[in-house]
Amino acid sequence: MKKPIGVFDSGVGGLTVAREIMRQLPHENIVYFGDTARVPYGSKSPNTVLRFSRQIVNFLRTKDVKAIVVACNTASALALPTIQEEIDIPIIGVIEAGAKTACEVTRTKHIGVIGTEGTIKSRVYTQCLTKLDSDITVVGKSCPLFVPLVEEGLVEDRVTDDIASRYLGELKDYNIDTLILGCTHYPLIRNTIARIMGDQVKLVNPAYETTKSLKELLARKGLLMKEEKKEPVYEYYVSDAVERFISFADGVLPCNVSEENVNSIDIESYELGKDN
Ligand code: DGL
């Protein structure tokens, strides 16, 4: 089916999921939305994250998407269960997939999760992991400065190293053997996190497993795109200036991102009930 897949995040983090969709589902068209004007979501209240997510879903529906991937752990934790009840197209988040992979990977059953304040406070990973295996113990740690550092492009930088050492140092006492990157921005500083945690801790990026689940879901619903000679169409929308997004996305994605396919929109106007 030619309709695109909608993917959204508070900013550039969801590009790590979009990148995986491009790899595993190379024929699918994608509409990506990054809420660059309102990032970060991690420190906002559940109600605000739900309101923002609803607006984005409304916007994506105007693009006639066939399915939506909430490429944001915070929105997956705080808004997805409600939105799932409200719409009639498939919508998936990143949390279940990440929890499932971590369960498969761990040997000691001591798992760490790093994420935004909203995600960690919601305890959604702990619930998911212990539902999968009640012997698992979970330690969560919010890393609120990681998102602004990534959004500022400080991916390989001493400031990021220092802050990461401080956040992750606390996890060292817990003897974890698996660490879930519970925020889609964090795979972008994966090298720094890996260096600090050491070889004995396996890092789980939920993007891979989420895309596998998406593929299965689309196949089950008969929504997979047939193989085509034509290149897929990728469109990007942001709520703030396009320039910063373009240079970032161009570095992360396996395709060219230019002014031709990135647009800035007024996301607030997609409030339910308003004429769009
Ligand atoms: N990348 C998002 C997540 O996975 C949101 C980060 C934020 O905006 O605070 O949670």
Side-chain angles (χ1 to χ4, degrees), residues 40 42-43 115-117 141-154 159-160 162-164 166-167 183 185-186 189:
S43 49
T116 66
E117 241 177 280
K141 170 81 190 137
S142 63
C143 306
L145 290 173
F146 279 177
V147 169
L149 287 168
V150 170
E151 291 280 331
E152 283 304 315
L154 298 171
V159 183
T160 309
D162 288 349
I163 289 168
R166 191 185 289 198
Y167 283 148
C183 171
H185 281 72
Y186 299 178
I189 50 166

Side-chain angles (χ1 to χ4, degrees), residues 124-199:
V124 64
Y125 270 105
T126 309
Q127 283 157 15
C128 251
L129 286 162
T130 49
K131 206 162 132 195
L132 289 166
D133 181 343
S134 55
D135 291 337
I136 283 178
T137 60
V138 185
V139 53
K141 170 81 190 137
S142 63
C143 306
L145 290 173
F146 279 177
V147 169
L149 287 168
V150 170
E151 291 280 331
E152 283 304 315
L154 298 171
V155 165
E156 289 289 344
D157 196 280
R158 262 192 53 200
V159 183
T160 309
D161 286 356
D162 288 349
I163 289 168
S165 299
R166 191 185 289 198
Y167 283 148
L168 302 175
E170 288 179 35
L171 287 176
K172 295 238 168 174
D173 300 335
Y174 290 93
N175 250 333
I176 56 168
D177 74 339
T178 304
L179 180 64
I180 301 176
L181 306 180
C183 171
T184 52
H185 281 72
Y186 299 178
L188 295 165
I189 50 166
R190 187 186 180 116
N191 291 346
T192 306
I193 297 171
R195 203 165 45 240
I196 294 167
M197 293 312 293
D199 290 344

Side-chain angles (χ1 to χ4, degrees), residues 9-10 13-14 39-43 71-74 116 119 147 182-185:
D9 178 44
S10 60
V39 65
Y41 281 11
S43 49
C72 171
N73 289 262
T74 314
T116 66
T119 301
V147 169
C183 171
T184 52
H185 281 72

Side-chain angles (χ1 to χ4, degrees), residues 40-79:
Y41 281 11
S43 49
K44 302 209 164 52
S45 71
N47 274 344
T48 300
V49 175
L50 177 60
R51 189 167 70 81
F52 289 176
S53 303
R54 278 185 174 136
Q55 290 170 348
I56 298 167
V57 166
N58 289 341
F59 162 69
L60 291 173
R61 300 221 58 183
T62 67
K63 296 286 155 196
D64 205 17
V65 295
K66 62 184 174 186
I68 295 175
V69 180
V70 184
C72 171
N73 289 262
T74 314
S76 298
L78 304 178

